[in-house]
Structures are given as structure tokens and as C-alpha cells.
Amino acid sequence: MSAVELRRTAYRTLLRGFRALPAPMRRTIVRSGTPSFTVGAVAVIECDDEVLFLRQPHRPGWSLPGGLLDRGEEAAEAVVREVREETGLEITAGLPTTCLVNGRVRRVDVIYLFSVPSKPEIHPGGEAETYAWLRLDQVDVADDSTREILQAVITAREQSAGDA
């Protein structure tokens, strides 16, 4: 038996043994050997050609409504909660528009796009201090994650238009 075949046989044997372990033990083993990521849910709320941006004390410049998922929380639940806390808006989240994985900083953003027919009344709260409806070319200062999220939405739209 060659070295390659021997490694392959050993690997398959280990996988069979792994499969026989109880699920909690398998999860512990996998989690101990993989990097951890933070997961956030973000809302891009647009009206005509403007997007709702927030000013938050922990971020430089403009940001989008959203935040980290609580333990056991689904992304759709988190985006609804974060939008309510930060803007006072009650939304219903369907499927996400896109997902952004930044391996460099180990962050995953689940991004939801909401189009509204008219600008709703916003009540900044939670971490949000103020807000503005801005066209993307009016956003003078925003952090890297906000810019990445906006680019991901633009890319998802372009790909969706190309599929049509």
C-alpha cells in the first residue's frame, strides 16, 4: 500500500470514528479547531435613491442599522430587533439579499435590503444618535465594514440583474 493510500485509509477511519461520536462532542471538536467569527445582521433601508444611515458613537462616520446576533438568535430576528432599537421602525425580514464574509477580521454580515415607498418617521435610539437619508455618493465618511456592506449589495444587485 502506498503512502497516499495509507493516509487516505487512515483519514476515512478517523472520519468514521468522528461520525460515531455524540453530536455535542463533534461540535466541540470542530469548534476547537476552527476560527470563530462574529455574525451580524444589517439592514439597508432605501427610499428612491437614498439609503437610511445612522451616526453611532462607536463607529466613525455613517453606518447602517444592524448589529450582532444574540446567542441562539436567527439573523432575521436580529435585524428586526436592531432596526426597532436603533430607528423605532417595525419591519418584517424575509430572506437576506446577500451575505458578506470577511475572513481577515473574522466577521460575517447577513444583509437585508428593504425598499420603502416613502420615508418613514425615524426615532433614533439604542446606539443611534442621529440619522440621514443619503445617496451613496453623499456618504463622506463611513467605516470599512459599512463600505463593504454597501458594495456587497451593489454586487448582488448586478448579479441578480445579469441573471434576469
Side-chain angles (χ1 to χ4, degrees):
M1 183 179 286
S2 74
V4 170
E5 291 171 331
L6 186 59
R7 277 194 305 268
R8 189 173 291 144
T9 300
Y11 182 68
R12 287 183 182 145
T13 302
L14 286 171
L15 286 176
R16 285 187 190 101
F18 179 79
R19 183 178 61 199
L21 295 172
M25 189 178 291
R26 288 195 313 261
R27 281 192 297 274
T28 300
I29 291 169
V30 169
R31 288 179 180 153
S32 68
T34 58
S36 60
F37 282 69
T38 59
V39 181
V42 181
V44 178
I45 302 172
E46 59 184 6
C47 182
D48 297 321
D49 61 347
E50 294 179 325
V51 173
L52 176 63
F53 286 94
L54 305 175
R55 289 275 190 186
Q56 300 176 328
H58 64 287
R59 293 181 170 271
W62 295 107
S63 63
L64 298 163
L68 298 178
L69 276 65
D70 291 335
R71 184 174 296 281
E73 186 176 38
E74 297 292 328
E77 295 168 337
V79 78
V80 167
R81 175 181 51 77
E82 289 286 346
V83 167
R84 181 175 52 261
E85 290 172 3
E86 295 175 351
T87 69
L89 296 177
E90 292 293 336
I91 59 169
T92 302
L95 294 174
T97 299
T98 190
C99 189
L100 178 65
V101 179
N102 185 324
R104 183 179 45 79
V105 296
R106 297 196 321 240
R107 185 186 74 242
V108 176
D109 289 309
V110 182
I111 306 164
Y112 294 84
L113 179 62
F114 301 92
S115 294
V116 294
S118 62
K119 293 178 185 170
E121 187 173 332
I122 305 298
H123 301 282
E127 299 158 353
E129 296 175 332
T130 189
Y131 73 96
W133 290 91
L134 303 169
R135 290 188 324 270
L136 295 185
D137 62 353
Q138 294 175 309
V139 180
D140 53 351
V141 180
D143 62 13
D144 290 342
S145 63
T146 299
R147 291 191 184 284
E148 288 174 1
I149 291 164
L150 292 171
Q151 186 56 55
V153 170
I154 291 167
T155 301
R157 281 187 165 155
E158 289 170 352
Q159 290 176 348
S160 179
D163 292 342

